[in-house]
């Protein structure tokens, strides 16, 4: 018996979904590697990667295998019990990073929520309630819960929901002097995205992160790196802090960690972790066996010299060709980013029109992303194949040609 609402179409979205998104006109129904097909059977190349999530493309055999194997064993037990995939994943993350301990949750916002609560808790326990201030950066993005929009440096996401979380200030990104002027002994944490993702793919300067580390140490503040977008191979290292050589006290991860299955993680040291004693924080699904089984498979594939070196090589391919396209059509002034998180900064004539580029690319059968109105963002699979890179960039060039001729 078929459901009364089959078939569903894009128009249904406008009828039955809360209107907080504006999805594209087509509905993807199937993916394999870096290709996606829509309801009409049209094939697209995916350089969007579900917003830097599909780190191994679509339907990667290792992930499908891990998920289906776990699906036949055990889905969920809650944190009243622990489970094998969660413990294995924690071991892998601890072995591969500065961290001694992992807390699992279901999204980037939740990983940051845990990070901010931990930072406040540590300061409260060690120094008392006065030390609770968090310094974040202008234009930063940390998620959509009330705490994380309050910490995020974009008032458009935090205004209009009543009183915000207080004790949070925002300083310009990559501006060490501004951070120095703001930080004090009341600061419990400084939170930085090693590369600002949502607001335009802006990489931090090494000296900025080094300086932030020194200032935090001087003021007994914790350094939190939000690696929700930059983590799990995206930069060509497992985490971006390893690319920069600056170690945080707390790191948040999500997006690529699950390769498309929802999971988030907060990583930290023994000394800090001990402040989240039994009952102080939690989430029903955190460390769910299905999510952790997939994340284990993601790490097994991504955290290998071949895949990480491949990211660096592919970066160069994208950058070279995108610079050529940008120059030829007068579309961008700069191609920036690290690894396979790449932002093309639109030229004066195209400022504010990233959505037009998105639409033009879609017409040519290519999925890209915006990062604000002035930057076109690419966050493809880390194992995107040679033929797909070439064909995708050919499609992008056709889109650029048509857009600039029109
Ligand atoms: C996407 C993102 C988040 C939020 O992650 P969700 O899974 O959407 O909650 C937080 N921080 C950064 C840097 C992100 O890119």
């Amino acid at each position: 018996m078929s459901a009364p609402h089959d078939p569903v179409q894009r128009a249904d979205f406008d009828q039955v979904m809360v209107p907080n998104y504006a999805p594209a006109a087509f509905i993807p129904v199937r993916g394999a590697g870096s290709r996606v097909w829509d309801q009409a059977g049209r094939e697209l190349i995916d350089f969007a990667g579900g917003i830097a999530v599909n780190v191994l493309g679509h339907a990667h055999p290792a992930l499908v295998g891990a998920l289906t194997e776990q699906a036949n064993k055990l889905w969920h037990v809650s944190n009243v019990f622990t489970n094998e995939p969660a413990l294995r994943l924690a071991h892998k993350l601890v072995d591969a990073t500065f961290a001694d301990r992992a807390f699992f949750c279901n999204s980037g916002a939740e990983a940051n929520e845990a990070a901010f609560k931990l930072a406040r808790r540590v300061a409260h326990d060690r120094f008392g309630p006065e030390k609770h201030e968090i310094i974040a950066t202008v234009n930063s993005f940390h998620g959509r819960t009330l705490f994380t929009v309050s910490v995020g440096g974009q008032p458009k996401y935090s205004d209009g929901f009543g009183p915000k979380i207080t004790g949070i200030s925002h300083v310009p990104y990559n501006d060490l002097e501004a951070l120095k002027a703001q930080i004090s002994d009341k600061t419990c944490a400084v939170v930085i995205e090693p590369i600002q993702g949502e607001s335009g793919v802006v990489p931090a300067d090494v000296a900025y992160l080094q300086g932030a580390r020194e200032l935090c140490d001087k003021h007994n503040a914790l350094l939190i790196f939000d690696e929700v977008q930059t983590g799990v191979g995206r930069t060509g290292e497992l985490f971006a802090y390893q690319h920069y050589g600056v170690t945080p006290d707390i790191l948040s991860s999500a997006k690529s960690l699950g390769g498309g299955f929802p999971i988030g993680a907060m990583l930290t040291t023994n000394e800090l972790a001990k402040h989240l004693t039994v009952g102080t924080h939690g989430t029903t699904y955190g460390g769910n066996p299905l999510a952790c089984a997939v994340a284990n498979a993601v790490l097994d594939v991504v955290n290998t010299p071949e895949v990480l070196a491949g990211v660096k090589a592919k970066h160069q391919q994208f950058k070279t060709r995108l610079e050529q396209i940008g120059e030829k059509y007068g579309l961008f002034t700069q191609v920036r980013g690290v690894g396979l998180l790449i932002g093309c900064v639109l030229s004066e004539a195209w400022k504010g029109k990233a959505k037009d580029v998105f639409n033009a690319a879609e017409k040519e059968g290519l999925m890209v992303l915006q990062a604000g109105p002035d930057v076109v963002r690419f966050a493809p699979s880390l194992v995107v194949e040679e033929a797909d890179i070439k064909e995708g960039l050919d499609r992008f060039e056709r889109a650029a040609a048509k857009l600039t001729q029109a």
Side-chain angles (χ1 to χ4, degrees):
M1 224 175 80
S2 77
H5 295 292
D6 256 341
V8 287
Q9 304 293 343
R10 169 62 180 82
D12 292 294
F13 181 93
D14 299 326
Q15 263 180 27
V16 295
M17 298 288 273
V18 170
N20 60 317
Y21 303 114
F26 67 96
I27 301 183
V29 295
R30 186 167 70 84
S34 288
R35 308 240 172 182
V36 166
W37 288 265
D38 75 3
Q39 285 183 312
R42 186 171 70 122
E43 172 259 344
L44 297 102
I45 289 182
D46 184 4
F47 285 168
I51 317 188
V53 166
N54 299 321
V55 75
L56 297 174
H58 299 273
H60 190 285
L63 307 197
V64 174
L67 181 62
T68 47
E69 190 188 329
Q70 188 60 42
N72 284 305
K73 272 193 196 159
L74 185 70
W75 286 26
H76 177 79
V77 290
S78 89
N79 287 296
V80 173
F81 310 92
T82 190
N83 68 78
E84 291 179 353
L87 296 174
R88 279 190 203 109
L89 181 61
H91 269 301
K92 267 178 207 162
L93 289 168
V94 162
D95 287 348
T97 66
F98 73 95
D100 310 307
R101 301 269 178 165
F103 166 81
F104 294 123
C105 50
N106 313 288
S107 68
E110 278 184 76
N112 285 325
E113 184 85 17
F116 304 154
K117 283 181 71 179
L118 173 60
R120 283 200 164 175
R121 190 73 176 203
V122 168
H124 190 277
D125 290 351
R126 287 183 178 168
F127 301 98
E130 275 284 281
K131 190 174 178 74
H132 68 272
E133 292 180 3
I134 295 174
I135 303 177
T137 63
V138 174
N139 289 332
S140 60
F141 184 78
H142 300 297
R144 299 295 200 112
T145 64
L146 190 61
F147 200 168
T148 55
V149 290
S150 298
V151 174
Q154 302 189 60
K156 69 177 177 195
Y157 295 141
S158 55
D159 286 353
F161 294 102
K164 296 175 193 175
I165 310 262
T166 55
I168 297 161
S169 60
H170 298 93
V171 294
Y173 189 72
N174 261 338
D175 183 340
L176 193 57
E177 288 309 308
L179 179 59
K180 197 172 186 174
Q182 185 64 33
I183 199 167
S184 76
D185 290 341
K186 285 188 183 171
T187 306
C188 77
V190 172
V191 53
I192 298 174
E193 292 165 84
I195 302 167
Q196 281 193 334
E198 292 306 304
S199 63
V201 190
V202 186
D205 301 328
V206 180
Y208 175 62
L209 297 184
Q210 286 169 341
R213 176 71 273 175
E214 284 163 21
L215 287 171
C216 284
D217 291 344
K218 188 169 159 212
H219 292 277
N220 292 313
L222 301 178
L223 181 61
I224 302 173
F225 281 171
D226 179 344
E227 292 230 32
V228 171
Q229 188 148 164
T230 55
V232 192
R234 188 62 47 198
T235 63
E237 300 292 337
L238 186 61
F239 287 100
Y241 86 85
Q242 295 160 326
H243 168 82
Y244 280 97
V246 177
T247 304
D249 300 295
I250 305 175
L251 181 150
S252 55
S253 177
K255 291 204 166 98
S256 296
L257 182 59
F261 201 99
I263 183 168
M266 177 193 69
L267 305 181
T268 190
T269 60
N270 278 326
E271 275 309 294
L272 300 176
K274 71 182 184 197
H275 291 265
L276 287 186
T277 52
V278 173
T280 50
H281 191 58
T283 164
T284 300
Y285 289 118
N288 174 286
L290 287 173
C292 291
V294 177
N296 271 301
V298 168
L299 287 179
D300 288 344
V301 178
V302 169
N303 196 19
T304 55
E306 309 83 74
V307 169
L308 295 176
V311 170
K312 292 174 185 161
K314 291 178 210 303
H315 169 87
Q316 210 44 53
Q317 266 178 295
F318 270 90
K319 189 171 157 84
T320 304
R321 182 82 190 275
L322 286 169
E323 278 172 349
Q324 280 166 4
I325 294 170
E327 200 169 314
K328 184 164 170 191
Y329 301 96
L331 201 52
F332 344 113
T333 53
Q334 194 196 355
V335 177
R336 66 189 176 201
V338 182
L340 287 175
L341 182 57
I342 296 171
C344 302
V345 185
L346 292 170
S347 62
E348 207 49 53
W350 291 93
K351 257 202 162 56
K353 294 185 178 162
K355 182 81 194 190
D356 294 2
V357 180
F358 173 96
N359 288 334
E362 190 263 301
K363 278 200 199 108
E364 298 302 320
L366 177 68
M367 294 150 80
V368 298
L369 293 168
Q370 300 174 237
D374 303 330
V375 174
V376 181
R377 175 174 35 158
F378 294 78
S381 156
L382 305 189
V383 295
V384 54
E385 282 173 24
E386 215 50 48
D388 294 339
I389 297 178
K390 183 167 184 314
E391 174 62 18
L393 289 169
D394 286 348
R395 290 181 191 187
F396 190 67
E397 173 152 10
R398 284 200 289 280
K402 285 196 186 152
L403 187 67
T404 52
Q405 272 159 23

